[in-house]
Amino acid sequence: MQPEIRRIVKKNSEYVVRFSELKDDTETFEFSLRDTFFKDFQSNEWESGRVNVVVDVIKRPDGITIDFEMKGELTVLCDRCLDAFAQPVNFSQRLFVKYGQEPKELDDNMVIIPREENQIDLAGYFYEYLLLSMPVKRVHPNRVNGESGCNKEMLKKLKQHIVNNSVEDTDPRWDALKRLIDKN
């Protein structure tokens, strides 16, 4: 987790799970991420959102397993037309929490906390998992009739500025090599 996120996480006590209050069993927690959560993290990835998170915490003597199930939507900007649209979120992740001497992240889904630590703030994990749930390319979904959901005026402007390089100039020296490759 990045240091600047850790500072923000300290303020979000509503996303804290206290291990000392848990039995050695599975307990389920539900969280509702709304605009205040998204404003706290000030991400360029989304404008706002409404995401429900169900967290199953399985406490055992050797550590804790936390299963995250996130469903909802984030308001993001379309990479093609720059208009906002609702990007669905449906993401699951498992986090293993082990006890050790000092806190550290071993990999993406395993962290070590000191045995004296009696709580974990999940806000930073919610943020990271939302980032992971986002597609690399964010474009309006197509409408029912198959048309693009993007802003039609912006698409017209984009078409005016597209450069078409359909004529491919090739070097004749490379053409001879391409013929060799095609034979094999």
Side-chain angles (χ1 to χ4, degrees):
M1 198 180 302
Q2 301 165 344
E4 62 270 12
I5 293 175
R6 285 188 187 273
R7 282 196 298 275
I8 293 171
V9 167
K10 299 288 187 213
K11 294 191 285 188
N12 293 323
S13 62
E14 65 187 292
Y15 306 113
V16 170
V17 172
R18 289 173 181 74
F19 304 137
S20 58
E21 298 173 3
L22 301 177
K23 302 174 212 137
D24 284 349
D25 197 7
T26 302
E27 292 207 34
T28 301
F29 299 87
E30 293 184 2
F31 300 95
S32 183
L33 308 181
R34 298 294 183 251
D35 292 340
T36 54
F37 174 86
F38 298 106
K39 286 177 186 168
D40 284 346
F41 283 95
Q42 300 174 350
S43 175
N44 294 333
E45 301 296 321
W46 48 68
E47 293 183 351
S48 62
R50 300 179 77 68
V51 179
N52 295 317
V53 184
V54 177
V55 177
D56 289 328
V57 179
I58 305 158
K59 183 179 175 187
R60 291 188 292 268
D62 63 333
I64 296 161
T65 303
I66 305 173
D67 291 324
F68 297 84
E69 184 71 37
M70 306 176 99
K71 291 184 180 184
E73 61 184 34
L74 298 173
T75 304
V76 300
L77 295 180
C78 177
D79 290 337
R80 186 183 301 146
C81 71
L82 302 178
D83 278 357
F85 74 99
Q87 174 69 49
V89 172
N90 190 358
F91 189 77
S92 299
Q93 183 69 28
R94 177 170 277 175
L95 177 69
F96 297 100
V97 180
K98 299 289 183 185
Y99 298 113
Q101 297 298 323
E102 59 187 53
K104 62 180 165 183
E105 283 190 33
L106 295 179
D107 62 26
D108 292 342
N109 59 350
M110 184 176 287
V111 295
I112 295 180
I113 62 169
R115 194 166 281 284
E116 309 82 49
E117 189 78 26
N118 66 354
Q119 67 184 24
I120 188 168
D121 194 328
L122 301 176
Y125 295 104
F126 294 162
Y127 174 78
E128 286 181 20
Y129 296 153
L130 286 172
L131 286 175
L132 289 172
S133 74
M134 298 303 299
V136 174
K137 186 175 182 182
R138 298 174 202 134
V139 180
H140 278 93
N142 287 339
R143 293 189 177 100
V144 177
N145 62 5
E147 285 183 10
S148 171
C150 287
N151 180 326
K152 290 181 181 182
E153 291 299 315
M154 182 60 87
L155 291 179
K156 286 179 189 175
K157 289 179 183 180
L158 287 172
K159 283 183 183 177
Q160 291 173 355
H161 296 285
I162 291 177
V163 177
N164 190 359
N165 292 337
S166 60
V167 178
E168 192 175 309
D169 294 330
T170 60
D171 187 335
R173 296 172 291 182
W174 292 109
D175 290 340
L177 288 173
K178 286 180 186 175
R179 283 192 297 271
L180 287 172
I181 291 172
D182 291 340
K183 284 183 183 178
N184 293 329

